Amino acid sequence: MKPQAAVLYLSRYYAPTLKETPSDAELASHRLLLRAGMIRKMGSGLYSFLPLGMRVLNNITRIVCSEMDAIGAQQIIMPLLQPAELWHESGRWDDYGPELMRIIDRHDAQFCLGPTHEEFICALVRNEVRSYKELPVYLYQQQVKYRDEIRPRFGLMRSREFVMNDGYSFHETQESLQKTYDETSVAYARMLDRMSLEWRAVEADSGQIGGKVSTEFMALADAGEAALVYCDCGYAADVEAGDSLSHPKAFRGTQETDEQGFFATPGIHSIEDLAQFLHATPCECVKALVGTDKDGNPVAFFIPGDHELNYIKAQHLVPGFTLMNDAQLQELGLPKGSIGPVGLPDNVRIFADESLWDIQGWVVGANRDGYHRIGARHGVDFNVDTWCTVCEVKAGDVCPCCGRKLKSARGIEVSQVFQLGVKYSESMHATFMNEQGEEQPFIMGCYGVGVSRAMAAIVEQMHDDAGIVWPATVAPAQAIILPLDKEGSDVWETAYKLADRFAQRGVEVALDDRSERPGVKFNDADLCGWPLQIIIGKRGLAAGVAELKLRATGQKTEIPLDELVERVTRAAQLVDCCVREDKDAPTSAMERTTHTQAAVQATAHVSAQDAASPASQADTATNTVADTSTSSGSAAPVLSAQPYPNPYTLLFKN
């Protein structure tokens, strides 16, 4: 039997709601969490969670931890203060950048406030696990993290201090890592479903964490900071990680040129202007972007004119890549807006997107100010040093899995899984004895859920003009009882008795026993987002009924008072179970779905274009092809959102 629940008496509860929206709150989640008395800003990027917000955060935590426990991960907790020497071992102390919050103590020892714990967990396990017989090991924690954001904004979406559930696994083989990676991906899918989020699993870049295989789980929202592309076949990718299979076209128009193919383009410095001048489209032109590598050596990227350079992929190909400024271009003798591959200085390495391979006559800059040229031929007029996939993918590009056109959306990154390989174990000398008696570095994975960010993502997806619409699984309580009469009346006495009966049945409810007008109570109930409102008024009491309002839809119904507690309790018992509303027996919990679908791997892209790409042209002697493969590992199984249904809709069916 479920233990007795607490009643939230609002007359004595610290839940200060606001009528006005704070001026610096831009996103809906930021505005509503502040107005509903869930959080309070204490400084730039710093927030306190008030009691109602803490209840939501705890409910999200319970979902996350229960799914981690279910796949065999074991909970620990590590210090948030990390010694600098561990980060020096991994090489990230200098590489991480200014976002790493560094501290010097009274003994002049250096520390950081951890944005993540790869170094710490690696140091912990290397001192304890010595044999392959002890593997795999999977540990996780829930911990406050810190990131010294240059411009904290959007409330909990991008704060300096945030709550994260982060897991780390250690393996003997890649196959073992893949198994845990897939199991965690499925667990993350279930977490988001239980939070009732609409989400997509997308191919992602590993960023500062490292590793070569990663999948992000994004909650779809117009306010999301991340851009993504997806296809109806199930493929999805962050634009920073997805492969762009663009289809540039050869220029078919007419333009008078000199014998070298040059033509004057005075005042034209952009692809859009050039295309308009030629009565062409941007995809018939080739864009040049010139920069330097980490040692200051010049490099030039050439991509279709209708696409942008993917700077993340460019930096993977050319570590430290940054675009040149006007002064640097001038020093190299390159006219901004008229740069092309023919006649570049000998020390400039040329990278070209693979999609340009079949375009034999490029429309590009002529390396003369105010001139462009038509018909520049790779392998004849110039040589490409490295063919690569370096365009930023966008809507309308071809899906690498099925060939259909990709669509675009925006998302909030809620969780991410990584295959780290031996990135940390090698640099930190974390090894074990394998079956052959040889020292071998651990093969590692890491996994993270932004718990406080998930709270903001839920609000971004589930709100209306009146306030928050919490899903029942994370709401601060399942229902609020609203007595609409003076204190001491029969209405109030009935409301108190109902609250006690719900508590005895283990159903968490709030009771608005404040001396406020009904309008104030209704407005605050909508603002705070309680899934179910139970309204007790004089007329209803006289008729022996209570009015119920479903916050998600605004539907209303009346239920006899003598049936109310039993029927609401039965619906509440479904809150933590995956149920289908079309089942004949709504009180029995359906077995939770695992979401394991086709074994199609998101990074196993094979298309007709791949067969014709420069990678297959073994006889192209002077050209090298960049290795854009991720690793021997593969991305998570293709997963799809199956949001948790609202069990309280059962109360509103005839």
Side-chain angles (χ1 to χ4, degrees):
M1 185 175 178
K2 198 169 182 179
Q4 180 163 327
V7 177
L8 281 57
Y9 297 101
L10 295 194
S11 62
R12 56 190 103 148
Y13 211 75
Y14 187 57
T17 58
L18 302 175
K19 290 184 179 180
E20 302 298 326
T21 299
S23 58
D24 63 339
E26 301 175 56
L27 299 187
S29 58
H30 193 190
R31 294 193 303 269
L32 293 173
L33 288 171
L34 287 169
R35 287 193 55 218
M38 305 276 175
I39 62 172
R40 282 294 179 267
K41 184 176 180 179
M42 307 304 292
S44 178
L46 300 174
Y47 292 86
S48 291
F49 287 83
L50 304 190
L52 290 181
M54 199 66 210
R55 292 179 71 86
V56 174
L57 197 69
N58 287 339
N59 287 334
I60 294 173
T61 296
R62 276 190 283 273
I63 290 172
V64 174
C65 290
S66 68
E67 294 293 349
M68 294 299 288
D69 294 341
I71 59 172
Q74 303 167 62
Q75 188 171 15
I76 61 172
I77 191 164
M78 293 176 280
L80 59 91
L81 195 63
Q82 302 187 32
E85 51 262 32
L86 293 180
W87 285 68
H88 283 298
E89 281 189 59
S90 72
R92 288 208 299 170
W93 183 261
D94 297 319
D95 293 346
Y96 201 90
E99 287 77 21
L100 185 64
M101 197 169 287
R102 304 158 207 261
I103 293 175
I104 299 176
D105 71 4
R106 66 178 69 187
H107 305 294
D108 291 327
Q110 290 185 311
F111 295 85
C112 68
L113 295 179
T116 182
H117 276 69
E118 283 79 13
E119 286 81 2
F120 210 101
I121 194 75
C122 205
L124 176 68
V125 170
R126 72 182 175 186
N127 295 326
E128 308 288 347
V129 178
R130 297 301 307 142
S131 169
Y132 73 95
K133 294 179 181 179
E134 300 172 77
L135 297 174
V137 170
Y138 194 177
L139 305 173
Y140 79 94
Q141 66 169 350
Q142 182 138 318
Q143 177 66 284
V144 174
K145 307 285 188 183
Y146 294 86
R147 187 178 292 124
D148 196 3
E149 294 282 359
I150 187 171
R151 191 162 70 94
R153 54 183 179 163
F154 304 148
L156 301 182
M157 207 78 78
R158 184 167 290 280
S159 56
R160 303 175 78 188
E161 178 180 302
F162 51 96
V163 181
M164 176 170 282
N165 185 294
D166 48 318
Y168 307 89
S169 63
F170 296 80
H171 307 267
E172 179 187 10
T173 65
Q174 173 64 35
E175 290 74 23
S176 175
L177 169 60
Q178 187 70 50
K179 181 175 182 291
T180 298
Y181 184 87
D182 290 346
E183 288 173 348
T184 305
S185 298
V186 171
Y188 278 13
R190 285 199 298 259
M191 292 174 195
L192 302 186
D193 282 349
R194 290 174 66 182
M195 298 176 203
S196 294
L197 283 168
E198 288 285 351
W199 55 271
R200 284 189 181 272
V202 305
E203 182 183 342
D205 183 78
S206 296
Q208 293 169 318
I209 299 295
K212 292 186 176 180
V213 178
S214 182
T215 301
E216 286 177 339
F217 292 79
M218 288 195 182
L220 302 181
D222 291 339
E225 288 189 284
L228 61 103
V229 292
Y230 66 94
C231 180
D232 293 336
C233 74
Y235 171 80
D238 187 307
V239 295
E240 293 179 346
D243 289 336
S244 172
L245 301 184
S246 59
H247 289 291
K249 298 177 181 178
F251 176 64
R252 302 298 183 191
T254 57
Q255 174 63 42
E256 290 187 14
T257 67
D258 63 17
E259 63 277 4
Q260 293 179 290
F262 289 16
F263 61 99
T265 51
I268 292 177
H269 299 291
S270 71
I271 287 292
E272 290 73 19
D273 290 343
L274 177 61
Q276 187 175 4
F277 179 86
L278 293 172
H279 303 290
T281 58
C283 71
E284 297 174 70
C285 306
V286 175
K287 184 184 296 186
L289 297 103
V290 181
T292 57
D293 64 16
K294 61 182 176 60
D295 298 319
N297 301 310
V299 295
F301 284 96
F302 291 91
I303 61 175
D306 62 337
H307 279 69
E308 300 297 328
L309 180 69
N310 185 321
Y311 286 94
I312 300 296
K313 291 193 173 187
Q315 288 169 349
H316 287 325
L317 290 163
V318 181
F321 174 76
T322 54
L323 286 176
M324 286 187 179
N325 57 36
D326 292 355
Q328 290 173 306
L329 289 173
Q330 188 173 4
E331 184 179 345
L332 198 59
L334 297 177
K336 183 179 180 180
S338 297
I339 299 172
V342 182
L344 282 173
D346 292 340
N347 63 337
V348 179
R349 283 187 295 157
I350 296 179
F351 293 78
D353 191 79
E354 290 183 359
S355 62
L356 296 171
W357 174 262
D358 290 328
I359 308 299
Q360 277 302 312
W362 294 7
V363 178
V364 288
N367 291 325
R368 286 172 54 186
D369 190 24
Y371 281 84
H372 284 75
R373 69 178 296 162
I374 294 174
R377 297 164 296 171
H378 62 81
V380 179
D381 301 314
F382 66 94
N383 286 319
V384 172
D385 295 300
T386 304
W387 292 94
C388 51
T389 303
V390 75
C391 285
E392 187 174 276
V393 64
K394 67 174 187 175
D397 284 352
V398 173
C399 173
C401 289
C402 72
R404 285 179 284 186
K405 287 188 176 181
L406 294 172
K407 303 172 185 177
S408 64
R410 300 201 68 81
I412 300 165
E413 181 198 330
V414 177
S415 55
Q416 190 165 2
V417 291
F418 304 82
Q419 292 189 28
L420 300 176
V422 295
K423 171 180 169 63
Y424 293 91
S425 54
E426 277 192 344
S427 62
M428 298 185 69
H429 307 291
T431 62
F432 65 96
M433 196 74 71
N434 65 21
E435 193 172 2
Q436 290 73 41
E438 302 168 335
E439 289 288 326
Q440 175 183 324
F442 293 107
I443 299 174
M444 293 177 59
C446 75
Y447 321 90
V449 181
V451 176
S452 51
R453 177 177 277 204
M455 182 173 169
I458 291 168
V459 179
E460 284 298 328
Q461 284 193 358
M462 284 167 265
H463 70 274
D464 57 23
D465 292 341
I468 302 169
V469 184
W470 290 118
T473 50
V474 304
Q478 294 303 300
I480 185 167
I481 301 173
L482 303 173
L484 306 182
D485 201 0
K486 295 179 180 179
E487 187 175 357
S489 66
D490 290 343
V491 167
W492 275 62
E493 184 179 350
T494 301
Y496 273 98
K497 287 180 178 178
L498 285 172
D500 288 340
R501 289 176 62 194
F502 278 123
Q504 290 168 11
R505 297 292 299 271
V507 179
E508 293 181 333
V509 297
L511 174 61
D512 193 345
D513 56 344
R514 300 175 299 166
S515 299
E516 293 284 0
R517 294 176 289 105
V520 173
K521 293 185 178 184
F522 287 139
N523 288 340
D524 280 354
D526 284 346
L527 175 62
C528 294
W530 315 96
L532 194 64
Q533 297 175 18
I534 301 171
I535 303 159
I536 311 295
K538 285 183 180 180
R539 291 182 182 177
L541 185 60
V545 298
E547 183 179 71
L548 268 62
K549 176 183 173 182
L550 187 63
R551 177 66 183 90
T553 64
Q555 288 175 277
K556 294 181 180 180
T557 191
E558 290 183 344
I559 292 181
L561 285 169
D562 58 358
E563 299 177 14
L564 178 65
V565 173
E566 178 62 28
R567 290 175 62 178
V568 172
T569 299
R570 289 176 68 198
Q573 288 171 345
L574 300 176
V575 166
D576 207 28
C577 304
C578 279
V579 295
R580 299 294 184 199
E581 294 183 309
D582 57 356
K583 291 297 179 183
D584 295 332
T587 57
S588 63
M590 258 189 75
E591 184 179 315
R592 291 185 306 180
T593 177
T594 64
H595 298 276
T596 46
Q597 301 182 349
V600 179
Q601 301 298 318
T603 54
H605 306 330
V606 179
S607 69
Q609 178 159 333
D610 292 333
S613 73
S616 65
Q617 307 296 327
D619 57 347
T620 312
T622 60
N623 298 329
T624 62
V625 179
D627 179 11
T628 56
S629 63
T630 51
S631 78
S632 57
S634 58
V638 175
L639 305 168
S640 63
Q642 297 183 22
Y644 185 88
N646 188 337
Y648 293 117
T649 57
L650 298 170
L651 298 169
F652 293 80
K653 289 191 172 181
N654 295 327

